[in-house]
């Protein structure tokens, strides 16, 4: 049984779908990293604001104190905006990872079916080849035996 072209096309489609799922997953992971970096930048801004507040306490500069307070408030707002987006991105990544793994399983199953069919075809071809060799050898023996059994023509 030869492997059908439809089966090979199915495998190519599954490979492409798996690659698309992998690309989407990598893109979502990149977006998550970008959001996490923004969250880290907000934390850095918060620390900078607190340092300004601490420095203003020693120097008595009220503008440094106000700017420090504003920096910490802005950083807090930024963190509050980023947290749900990060959660959404993580949920999206979970879904994309499941889809990618499912496509990977489908592709591997199709590959296994094709490999098994190729193995069966190879075994069948070997069997046919051996049968042909056996037939040839038996015919040769039969011809040799029939030549010795015939009376000579003269």
């Amino acid at each position: 049984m030869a492997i059908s072209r439809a089966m090979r096309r199915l495998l190519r489609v599954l490979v492409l779908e798996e690659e698309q799922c992998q690309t989407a997953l990598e893109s979502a992971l990149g977006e998550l990293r970008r959001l996490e970096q923004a969250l880290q930048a907000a934390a850095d801004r918060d620390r900078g604001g607190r340092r300004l507040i601490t420095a203003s306490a020693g120097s008595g500069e009220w503008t440094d104190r106000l700017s420090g307070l504003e920096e910490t408030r802005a950083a807090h707002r930024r963190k509050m905006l980023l947290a749900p987006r990060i959660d959404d991105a993580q949920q999206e990544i979970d879904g994309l990872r499941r889809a990618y793994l499912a496509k990977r399983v489908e592709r591997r199953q199709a590959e296994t079916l094709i490999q098994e069919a190729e193995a069966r075809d190879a075994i069948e071809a070997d069997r046919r080849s051996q049968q042909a060799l056996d037939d040839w050898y038996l015919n040769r023996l039969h011809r040799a035996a029939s030549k010795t059994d015939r009376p000579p023509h003269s």
Side-chain angles (χ1 to χ4, degrees):
M1 162 201 288
I3 300 160
S4 70
R5 283 192 285 172
M7 191 66 165
R8 291 197 186 276
R9 266 187 261 133
L10 173 64
L11 179 60
R12 280 195 305 267
V13 167
L14 290 173
V15 167
L16 291 173
E17 287 177 344
E18 180 185 359
E19 288 172 358
Q20 288 175 340
C21 286
Q22 184 178 15
T23 301
L25 178 59
E26 289 170 356
S27 175
L29 285 168
E31 176 66 15
L32 177 62
R33 279 191 292 278
R34 190 184 67 74
L35 290 170
E36 287 172 341
Q37 288 171 349
L39 185 63
Q40 183 61 45
D44 293 344
R45 187 175 184 183
D46 183 39
R47 277 192 297 281
R50 281 187 267 144
R51 276 195 300 272
L52 278 174
I53 293 170
T54 304
S56 71
S59 68
E61 289 291 323
W62 61 275
T63 55
D64 285 347
R65 183 177 196 91
L66 289 177
S67 64
L69 287 172
E70 188 53 38
E71 286 291 315
T72 56
R73 269 190 241 132
H76 180 71
R77 281 193 306 269
R78 182 90 171 150
K79 287 179 190 178
M80 297 304 289
L81 290 172
L82 288 171
R85 290 180 64 191
I86 289 173
D87 289 341
D88 291 344
Q90 287 172 336
Q91 288 176 4
E92 180 183 359
I93 286 170
D94 289 342
L96 290 171
R97 185 172 284 125
R98 280 191 297 276
Y100 168 68
L101 292 175
K103 284 296 172 190
R104 190 172 178 182
V105 166
E106 285 180 45
R107 179 198 38 93
R108 286 186 174 179
Q109 288 172 340
E111 281 178 345
T112 300
L113 288 174
I114 289 173
Q115 288 169 353
E116 288 173 353
E118 287 172 343
R120 280 191 307 271
D121 289 348
I123 290 169
E124 183 64 24
D126 286 346
R127 188 193 63 74
R128 274 190 244 117
S129 175
Q130 185 62 48
Q131 183 66 44
L133 286 173
D134 291 346
D135 290 345
W136 173 82
Y137 184 73
L138 287 174
N139 285 335
R140 193 176 116 203
L141 286 178
H142 180 66
R143 273 182 284 172
S146 65
K147 282 184 184 177
T148 58
D149 291 342
R150 282 193 201 157
H153 290 103
S154 329

